[in-house]
Amino acid sequence: SVSDPKRAEKHFKFARLKAPSNDKITEGYVDFLTAQLRHREALEIINVLIEDSAGNFNARNKFFVKKGRLLKQMGQFEEAEAAFRKIIHSVPHEVSLWSDIASLKTFKTDDPDIAAIENSLALYDLDDRQISSAYFSLAKAHDDLQDFDQSFFYLEQGNRLRRAQFYYNVEDDLVTM
């Protein structure tokens, strides 16, 4: 949290003047504006970053993700979904983006997105984090379809993978109490 937003903004603006091509500073400023609920200003800067990164595929995709999440916060769900779809079509192995798309829509019977998520599990060499993300997207899809057994299956699988990513033992906490 920023205790003095006016001072923080002054520092961001100064840093951006000193290093105008430093995307990390600009991204930090976008995050600052977003935290200050100045979404329109943040969106304008993101759009410039997207234009300026036309030749840098990875940076451009990163900015589209940021744009999609900002649009989602702004309640512009169709535009947010379009931003996420733009990336998923150019980088289909980035299955974690399906979670962003799934959170913005209601799945219908025979929805092609369900098959696309399932196909991504079969086609790409994914790490456990990506696989769990796809499972959570499929859980949401099956929940929308009211196929609760299948939804629970995917939730269970996703949670199993996520749980395996970190170590926690309640006895360790009890010893330190």
Side-chain angles (χ1 to χ4, degrees):
S1 75
V2 177
S3 60
D4 187 352
K6 288 183 185 203
R7 186 172 178 196
E9 181 163 18
K10 182 177 150 188
H11 286 289
F12 270 120
K13 286 184 176 181
F14 180 76
R16 289 182 71 213
L17 282 173
K18 287 291 194 185
S21 62
N22 186 324
D23 290 344
K24 292 226 180 278
I25 293 171
T26 303
E27 281 185 79
Y29 186 51
V30 166
D31 293 341
F32 166 78
L33 292 172
T34 302
Q36 298 298 309
L37 303 178
R38 294 165 56 188
H39 297 116
R40 292 269 170 229
E41 293 172 75
L43 187 59
E44 288 174 17
I45 294 170
I46 289 172
N47 285 331
V48 170
L49 287 170
I50 289 170
E51 279 182 40
D52 290 349
S53 64
N56 184 335
F57 185 75
N58 291 332
R60 188 173 174 87
N61 284 341
K62 178 176 66 170
F63 299 140
F64 265 110
V65 170
K66 193 172 275 290
K67 179 178 182 173
R69 291 185 178 149
L70 179 60
L71 288 166
K72 183 178 170 183
Q73 287 179 10
M74 296 170 69
Q76 297 180 15
F77 302 126
E78 290 177 10
E79 294 90 344
E81 185 177 342
F84 293 129
R85 285 188 183 284
K86 187 170 188 77
I87 304 163
I88 201 80
H89 289 303
S90 64
V91 192
H93 63 275
E94 290 292 335
V95 298
S96 61
L97 294 171
W98 282 115
S99 293
D100 291 300
I101 293 170
S103 71
L104 292 166
K105 67 178 283 181
T106 302
F107 289 87
K108 307 284 186 221
T109 304
D110 298 324
D111 192 315
D113 287 345
I114 296 171
I117 299 167
E118 291 171 340
N119 286 338
S120 68
L121 287 168
L123 293 175
Y124 305 109
D125 183 26
L126 306 172
D127 62 31
D128 286 350
R129 187 174 167 279
Q130 292 170 308
I131 294 168
S132 64
S133 184
Y135 283 160
F136 291 137
S137 299
L138 289 168
K140 162 67 164 72
H142 287 282
D143 186 67
D144 287 350
L145 298 172
Q146 297 187 355
D147 182 356
F148 302 118
D149 289 339
Q150 196 66 17
S151 178
F152 185 77
F153 169 79
Y154 283 118
L155 278 175
E156 187 176 52
Q157 295 302 308
N159 283 319
R160 180 184 52 77
L161 287 173
R162 285 280 164 99
R163 174 76 169 88
Q165 293 174 13
F166 63 93
Y167 171 79
Y168 176 76
N169 185 347
V170 71
E171 285 82 24
D172 292 345
D173 283 347
L174 294 174
V175 169
T176 61
M177 292 177 84

